[in-house]
Amino acid sequence: GSASSDRFILARLNTISFFFTLLQLAAAAWLATVLFWISGEGATGSFSPHLWNCNGAVFSVGLVGATIMIGCFCTVRIIKEVDLVGAIRYLWFILWISPVEIFFNITLFDYHRVTQVWVVHWWSSDQLSWFRNKFCPQGTADSLCVVPIDGGVNYDSEDAYCEARYGTTDCTAIRDEAQHDTIFWLLIFYTSLAAWGCIFMFLLLLVVNTLERIISKPIVQKSRETNVPGWLTFPTVFTALVGAIYTFSPSSFLRGLEEQKWVGILYMISSGLFLVALLMGWFLSAFSIRSNVDKRNKSTAVIIFIGVLAVNALALATLFVASIIWSTRVDLNQGQRGEIACFVDDSDCTNCDALLSKNKCPEWNVNDVTSIVRAQLKQSATLAAIFLLYAVNVMSYGINLRRHLSMYQIDYV
C-alpha cells in the first residue's frame, strides 16, 4: 500500500542523504588536512576562528553532516520496524538541525569576497603553505612568493624588498598570480559545497514530507501541539546567543558602528519575544478545558501567543531588511579600519600600538575591512530569515489552534 511505498521512498532518501553528508564530511576533512596537518604544527596556532571566514562554515557543515549521518544510521531500524515513536523523533531531529545546515551553507556563498581578504592577508602563514607550494613557481613558495604587502616594515615598497632580498623585482607578479589561482579554486570549492548543501536541503524537505505521510498528519499535528516549548526552544536559545555575540563578542565588528550596533540588540529583543511565546505555548499544551472559563482563558492565551509571534515576525522582518540595507551603507573611517584590522590580524599588522587608530595597520585598506563587516551583516540577514520562518510557522499553528477552539466552543454550546 501507500505506507509501504512511503517507507521504500524514505529508505532511498535516507541512503542518498548518507552519501550527501559523507561528501560534506570529506570536504571538511580535506580542508582541515590542507590547512593544519600538511601545513605543519604552526598552522594550528595561526588559525583565527572569526565570524566572517568561510573555513569555519566548512567545518561546521562537516560537523552537521556527521550528525545527520548518525541519524541516517539510526533511521534504518526505524524504517524496518515501522517505529512511529522513532519516526517522530527523527522528524524533530531533522526540523531542529535543518536551520543550522541552511545557515552555514548560505554562509559558504562568498558574496562579499572575504576569501580574497583572507588569502591576501594570511598568505605567508603556515595555514596556506600547501596552496603556496601548489601555485607558486617551484622553489619560490617561501621566498619570492611571500613578499609582504607594501614591502613590510623595513622597506618602502614591494619592489625594494624584492630587490634587496633576491636581486629581482618579480616578487609582486609571482605572488599576485599565485594568490589569484588560490582564490579562484577556493571559491569553486566553497561555492560547490554550498550548492551541494542546497540540494541536500531539498532532499531533507522530501524526507520531512515522507515522514509526515508515514506518521500521518493528525499525529504530527498532535506532536507539535504537545511539543510547542521544544519547538520554540531552538529560536529562543539561538536568537539570544546570536544577540550576545553581535553585542558583546570582540569578533563582532558591528557593535562599534553607529547603525549596525542595533543588530545584536534586536536579536536580544527577538529572543525575549520567543521566550514569551514559549511560555504561552507551554501553558497551552499543559492547560485542559473543563469549563467555559477555561475556554475563555485558553482563547485569551492563544491570542497573546499569536500576537507575540506576530510582533516578533515584524521585528525579524525589519532586522532582515535592515541588515541588507546596512550592508550597502557600511562607511568606515580610518580609525574604525585600523581598530578592526588590528583585532583581525594582530600577528601581522604593524603599528597597532599607535595612539591614533587611523595610523594602525596600514597593510589593511578600507575595502578589506568593509568586506568583513558586510559578510557579518549578510550572516545576520540569513539568520533573521531563518528565525522569521520559525515565527511565521508557529504563528500559523496558533491561528489553526484558535480556529479549533472556536469550533469546539460552538459544538459545546
Side-chain angles (χ1 to χ4, degrees):
S2 61
S4 60
S5 176
D6 286 336
R7 291 207 322 272
F8 175 81
I9 293 172
L10 181 60
R12 292 298 176 269
L13 290 173
N14 196 53
T15 302
I16 298 171
S17 297
F18 174 82
F19 285 107
F20 266 79
T21 56
L22 184 63
L23 189 140
Q24 290 180 323
L25 186 59
W30 175 82
L31 186 64
T33 301
V34 167
L35 293 184
F36 306 129
W37 187 58
I38 295 179
S39 298
E41 296 180 2
T44 306
S46 62
F47 178 66
S48 301
H50 295 299
L51 297 176
W52 55 272
N53 201 310
C54 290
N55 296 330
V58 173
F59 298 138
S60 299
V61 164
L63 180 61
V64 173
T67 306
I68 297 177
M69 187 184 296
I70 296 172
C72 291
F73 275 119
C74 297
T75 309
V76 174
R77 180 192 62 80
I78 293 172
I79 297 172
K80 287 182 178 179
E81 299 179 4
V82 197
D83 182 1
L84 288 181
V85 175
I88 291 174
R89 289 173 180 168
Y90 186 54
L91 174 64
W92 279 105
F93 167 73
I94 295 297
L95 292 175
W96 263 67
I97 206 166
S98 293
V100 182
E101 178 83 5
I102 291 171
F103 169 71
F104 287 117
N105 275 291
I106 293 178
T107 300
L108 285 171
F109 287 107
D110 189 8
Y111 179 75
H112 295 295
R113 293 295 187 267
V114 292
T115 300
Q116 178 177 338
V117 176
W118 174 62
V119 170
V120 168
H121 290 285
W122 271 264
W123 182 243
S124 61
S125 69
D126 291 332
Q127 289 179 51
L128 292 170
S129 64
W130 184 86
F131 293 98
R132 293 199 306 273
N133 289 319
K134 185 74 174 176
F135 296 112
C136 293
Q138 188 174 4
T140 66
D142 295 311
S143 56
L144 281 77
C145 202
V146 291
V147 54
I149 297 173
D150 296 331
V153 179
N154 299 318
Y155 298 91
D156 295 332
S157 66
E158 294 176 2
D159 285 347
Y161 173 93
C162 195
E163 179 71 30
R165 292 288 188 95
Y166 309 110
T168 181
T169 56
D170 295 336
C171 296
T172 300
I174 291 173
R175 181 202 62 192
D176 289 352
E177 184 177 355
Q179 288 180 351
H180 177 271
D181 292 341
T182 300
I183 293 165
F184 175 78
W185 287 109
L186 277 174
L187 286 175
I188 288 180
F189 171 71
Y190 295 142
T191 305
S192 300
L193 187 59
W196 184 262
C198 290
I199 298 172
F200 183 44
M201 286 298 95
F202 177 73
L203 191 65
L204 288 181
L205 179 62
L206 295 179
V207 170
V208 169
N209 291 335
T210 306
L211 280 169
E212 289 182 344
R213 288 199 303 270
I214 292 173
I215 298 168
S216 80
K217 293 287 185 181
I219 295 178
V220 171
Q221 182 65 18
K222 185 64 178 176
S223 175
R224 287 180 173 174
E225 289 177 6
T226 55
N227 290 287
V228 172
W231 199 2
L232 287 171
T233 298
F234 178 88
T236 302
V237 172
F238 277 87
T239 47
L241 179 62
V242 171
I245 290 174
Y246 276 127
T247 305
F248 304 111
S249 173
S251 294
S252 170
F253 309 124
L254 307 183
R255 60 183 188 149
L257 305 181
E258 189 64 29
E259 293 179 330
Q260 292 83 351
K261 67 182 180 182
W262 287 97
V263 167
I265 297 172
L266 287 173
Y267 273 113
M268 301 287 275
I269 293 173
S270 177
S271 177
L273 292 171
F274 270 126
L275 179 60
V276 174
L278 185 152
L279 295 174
M280 297 307 301
W282 170 79
F283 173 79
L284 292 172
S285 62
F287 190 78
S288 58
I289 299 176
R290 294 187 178 88
S291 65
N292 286 328
V293 175
D294 291 340
K295 286 181 225 173
R296 285 195 298 270
N297 290 338
K298 192 161 188 176
S299 296
T300 302
V302 170
I303 293 172
I304 296 173
F305 180 75
I306 296 171
V308 169
L309 286 170
V311 173
N312 203 4
L314 180 61
L316 288 167
T318 302
L319 184 53
F320 170 75
V321 174
S323 295
I324 294 176
I325 293 175
W326 284 338
S327 69
T328 65
R329 292 167 47 181
V330 177
D331 186 17
L332 302 176
N333 58 45
Q334 286 297 323
Q336 292 168 327
R337 176 208 59 77
E339 290 292 341
I340 294 175
C342 280
F343 176 82
V344 174
D345 193 14
D346 61 341
S347 61
D348 292 316
C349 273
T350 59
N351 213 28
C352 282
D353 294 329
L355 295 178
L356 294 177
S357 297
K358 66 179 182 179
N359 295 331
K360 295 181 178 181
C361 198
E363 295 84 358
W364 283 65
N365 59 47
V366 172
N367 290 334
D368 293 336
V369 179
T370 299
S371 294
I372 293 176
V373 175
R374 284 176 173 167
Q376 290 195 349
L377 286 166
K378 171 200 162 190
Q379 292 174 340
S380 171
T382 304
L383 288 168
I386 292 172
F387 294 131
L388 175 61
L389 291 176
Y390 255 99
V392 171
N393 196 11
V394 182
M395 185 171 61
S396 65
Y397 154 76
I399 293 171
N400 290 333
L401 180 59
R402 185 171 184 272
R403 187 181 300 114
H404 171 75
L405 285 174
S406 177
M407 294 295 293
Y408 179 84
Q409 186 176 17
I410 292 171
D411 293 340
Y412 180 82
V413 172

